[in-house]
Amino acid sequence: QVQLVESGGGLVKAGDSLRLACTVSGGDFNKLVMGWFRQGRQGPGNEREFLASISWGNSMTYYGHAVKGRFTISRDDAKNTVYLQMNELKPEDTAIYVCAADRRSMPIVATVASSYDYWGQGIQVTVSS
């Protein structure tokens, strides 16, 4: 069974940086498309907002409009881990950040939450003004 565990969240000030990590176990990480989403910015039940995705193999990346230029997704296949480097954080970035894995036969990116097969439990990021 594939399991995803996020780490690195916390409380920071506006303008600070933070790096999230998501470690995957129980699956072939080298054939997983990975993504980061966030939820809860406007209260429980809100849709998950796509942030970034990275393919397997060629490590192609794609970003959501709200974070493009500030956030960077990367992966370390030797550690079965995907990262989200977040720079220039703003109070509106406060949310629960969740990583996800998508089994794909082709090395592409995935931006739709419903296409992902596995999800982490999420980790809180709070940015104070």
Side-chain angles (χ1 to χ4, degrees):
Q1 182 175 358
V2 177
Q3 293 185 323
L4 289 71
V5 179
E6 300 96 340
S7 61
L11 172 64
V12 296
K13 296 180 180 179
D16 285 352
S17 297
L18 202 61
R19 188 177 80 156
L20 303 181
C22 173
T23 300
V24 179
S25 61
D28 184 359
F29 184 78
N30 295 328
K31 290 294 177 69
L32 291 175
V33 172
M34 301 300 298
W36 284 98
F37 292 77
R38 65 187 177 192
Q39 62 189 47
R41 288 203 301 164
Q42 297 179 7
N46 219 35
E47 287 188 3
R48 286 170 172 163
E49 177 187 5
F50 169 75
L51 301 178
S53 177
I54 186 167
S55 68
W56 58 265
N58 56 19
S59 292
M60 177 171 54
T61 59
Y62 191 81
Y63 296 91
H65 177 73
V67 304
K68 190 174 183 179
R70 295 191 299 126
F71 291 10
T72 302
I73 189 171
S74 62
R75 64 190 295 156
D76 185 338
D77 289 350
K79 296 182 178 180
N80 286 5
T81 299
V82 62
Y83 302 97
L84 186 68
Q85 176 67 43
M86 305 185 293
N87 298 329
E88 302 174 23
L89 283 163
K90 307 173 183 179
E92 51 264 43
D93 292 319
T94 295
I96 296 172
Y97 285 68
V98 189
C99 75
D102 183 347
R103 294 173 301 175
R104 293 273 183 159
S105 59
M106 297 186 65
I108 61 174
V109 294
T111 63
V112 179
S114 60
S115 72
Y116 283 83
D117 301 296
Y118 308 102
W119 293 85
Q121 290 193 332
I123 193 164
Q124 179 70 44
V125 171
T126 303
V127 184
S128 64
S129 57

